[in-house]
């Protein structure tokens, strides 16, 4: 059992490395990770593997679509075909998000579920991401180190704090209730973003977008009505995560206005690495305050329950990888493509995770989910639609 566990851990790490940072050529990533994603499966509390939906196979047909032209960044796609690198970004982003949600939920269950250690787990997930980011900086030909100053780090603190808060609250929400329910509530993030942007940062939101918000909120309410695993704590935690995420988006815009910061960062990957490191350091005192008195209990479970430590490490790698890839993917695409991609991602994660975890998908929940996510998509593109009519 120990040999098998070690083997799985090595495969998990190797597949994450190949997908999330070390390979400069997109084509070289395709072969090794295809096998990796099939082999890296979440571990159940009883130590057996879960039969998750194979998203790599389900989305593999997309690679055969032909097209051409240029993406938003001006890069020319493969002659007579698609931008293979961009398609791989989408693939790994979706797969990473999907597997993160499953491994995160399994780690939470193994640690005691609703009465377990969500703050400790969320902090350690950021710690796993930090270790991986440091590895990329020291590994040969992996990633150049940033040259940020002390003032740059200080300016990054608000972004890192909001990032940590959003992640921790999301983990709380998924530990308190169904993953699918938490994802549906998190889909209402634009409502929080609109309020924060309008009234805190004085960035006006168009009337058309305001009119879309009742659709989003109404969908979330419908999805909650018949939720079998409904918990007020899950709803509140997901809303807090949305609030932190809204602040993070606005703080990040302010941060990137700092003169010369992009050059000192060196890359998007470095920015996320630094944010993760600072977020981890900030999460330590919060975890100790919230669950420090039960640290001995957590240590014992961690030592004796492979389902906890294996899923915790895997979820940390998946979280770091899919977030970095999401940023890289969205910067290579236009606004409409981003909206479609985010909408499709939520649908895949909500439905896929619910099927794997045996969560309820009653008609009312599906209708509410469809209305809410449809409202989010409309919110994302409504300004462009209005401009075209004018």
């Amino acid at each position: 059992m120990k040999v098998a566990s070690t083997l799985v851990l090595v495969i998990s790490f190797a597949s994450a490395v190949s997908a999330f940072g070390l390979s400069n050529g997109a084509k070289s990533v395709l072969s090794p990770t295809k096998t990796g994603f099939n082999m890296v499966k979440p571990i159940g509390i009883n130590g057996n593997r879960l039969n998750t939906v194979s998203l790599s196979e389900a989305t593999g047909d997309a690679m055969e679509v032909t097209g051409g032209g240029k993406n938003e960044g001006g890069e020319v796609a493969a002659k007579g075909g698609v931008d293979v690198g961009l398609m791989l970004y989408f693939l790994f982003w979706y797969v990473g998000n999907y597997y993160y949600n499953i491994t995160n939920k399994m780690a939470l269950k193994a640690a005691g579920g609703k009465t377990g250690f969500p703050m400790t787990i969320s902090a350690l997930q950021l710690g796993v991401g930090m270790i991986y980011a440091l590895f990329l900086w020291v590994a040969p030909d992996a990633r150049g180190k940033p040259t940020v100053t002390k003032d740059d780090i200080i300016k990054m603190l608000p972004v890192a704090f909001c990032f940590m808060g959003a992640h921790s609250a999301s983990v709380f929400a998924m530990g308190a209730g169904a993953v699918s329910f938490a994802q549906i509530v998190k889909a209402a993030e634009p409502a929080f973003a609109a309020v924060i942007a309008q009234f805190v940062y004085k960035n006006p939101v168009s009337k058309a977008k305001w009119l879309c918000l009742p659709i989003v909120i109404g969908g979330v309410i419908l999805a909650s009505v018949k939720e079998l695993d409904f918990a007020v704590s899950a709803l509140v935690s997901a809303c807090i995560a949305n609030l932190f995420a809204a602040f993070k988006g606005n703080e990040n815009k302010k941060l990137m206005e700092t003169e010369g910061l992009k050059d000192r960062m060196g890359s998007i990957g470095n920015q996320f690495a630094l944010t993760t490191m600072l977020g981890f350091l900030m999460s330590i005192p919060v975890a100790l305050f919230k669950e420090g008195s039960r640290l001995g209990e957590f240590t014992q479970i961690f030592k004796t329950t492979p389902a906890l430590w294996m899923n915790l490490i895997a979820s940390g790698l998946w979280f770091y990888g899919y977030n970095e890839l999401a940023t890289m993917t969205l910067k290579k695409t236009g606004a409409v493509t981003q909206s479609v991609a985010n909408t499709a991602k939520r649908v895949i994660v909500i439905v896929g995770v619910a099927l794997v975890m045996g969560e309820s998908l009653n008609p009312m929940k599906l209708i509410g989910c469809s209305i809410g996510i449809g409202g989010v998509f409309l919110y994302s593109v409504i300004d462009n639609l209005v401009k075209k009519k004018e």
Side-chain angles (χ1 to χ4, degrees), residues 263-304:
D263 295 330
R264 293 192 291 275
M265 286 286 188
S267 67
I268 299 170
N270 281 341
Q271 182 185 352
F272 186 68
L274 289 170
T275 303
T276 301
M277 292 175 186
L278 292 173
F280 169 66
L281 294 176
M282 291 178 178
S283 68
I284 293 175
V286 181
L288 291 175
F289 173 78
K290 184 75 172 58
E291 299 161 359
S293 61
R294 301 168 59 204
L295 194 58
E297 180 186 347
F298 176 81
T299 303
Q300 185 61 29
I301 298 173
F302 189 87
K303 288 179 180 178
T304 59

Side-chain angles (χ1 to χ4, degrees), residues 66-299:
T66 57
K70 297 181 180 181
N71 57 31
E72 189 180 358
E75 296 175 308
V76 181
K79 191 173 182 179
V82 297
D83 184 337
V84 177
L86 182 59
M87 293 302 296
L88 286 172
Y89 282 168
F90 274 113
L91 174 65
F92 294 138
W93 171 25
Y94 283 17
V95 172
N97 191 296
Y98 171 80
Y99 275 108
Y100 162 70
N101 278 275
I102 294 176
T103 52
N104 176 61
K105 184 64 174 181
M106 295 311 300
L108 289 166
K109 280 188 173 183
K114 297 178 181 180
T115 59
F117 302 86
M119 188 63 223
T120 302
I121 288 175
S122 66
L124 290 177
Q125 286 170 342
L126 296 182
V128 170
M130 181 187 71
I131 294 171
Y132 177 69
L134 290 172
F135 169 75
L136 289 182
W137 284 343
V138 300
D141 302 321
R143 177 180 290 166
K145 299 185 181 100
T147 57
V148 292
T149 64
K150 180 181 177 181
D151 288 339
D152 291 335
I153 297 296
I154 292 174
K155 289 180 179 179
M156 289 185 69
L157 292 179
V159 176
F161 178 76
C162 293
F163 167 75
M164 181 272 293
H167 174 59
S168 299
S170 296
V171 174
F172 267 100
M174 287 186 273
V179 175
S180 55
F181 175 68
Q183 288 293 337
I184 292 171
V185 177
K186 286 181 66 181
E189 184 183 323
F192 292 81
V195 173
I196 297 300
Q198 181 87 41
F199 298 106
V200 178
Y201 291 91
K202 308 302 179 184
N203 296 324
V205 177
S206 67
K207 290 182 180 178
K209 284 193 170 183
W210 280 111
L211 291 174
C212 293
L213 295 182
I215 302 175
V216 178
I217 296 170
V220 173
I221 292 173
L222 276 178
S224 306
V225 170
K226 295 291 184 179
E227 174 58 47
L228 298 179
D229 195 17
F230 179 81
V232 174
S233 56
L235 177 63
V236 172
S237 297
C239 288
I240 292 173
N242 286 342
L243 193 63
F244 272 116
F247 274 107
K248 175 180 172 288
N250 285 280
E251 287 296 330
N252 193 60
K253 287 180 182 178
K254 288 172 56 180
L255 174 67
M256 297 317 293
E257 292 172 358
T258 304
E259 185 178 354
L261 181 62
K262 289 183 180 179
D263 295 330
R264 293 192 291 275
M265 286 286 188
S267 67
I268 299 170
N270 281 341
Q271 182 185 352
F272 186 68
L274 289 170
T275 303
T276 301
M277 292 175 186
L278 292 173
F280 169 66
L281 294 176
M282 291 178 178
S283 68
I284 293 175
V286 181
L288 291 175
F289 173 78
K290 184 75 172 58
E291 299 161 359
S293 61
R294 301 168 59 204
L295 194 58
E297 180 186 347
F298 176 81
T299 303

Side-chain angles (χ1 to χ4, degrees), residues 360-388:
S360 65
L361 281 175
N362 59 71
M364 185 65 75
K365 184 174 182 178
L366 289 175
I367 292 172
C369 175
S370 301
I371 293 174
I373 292 177
V376 171
F377 174 72
L378 184 62
Y379 176 92
S380 303
V381 301
I382 191 66
D383 283 345
N384 291 332
L385 295 176
V386 172
K387 285 179 182 178
K388 286 181 180 180

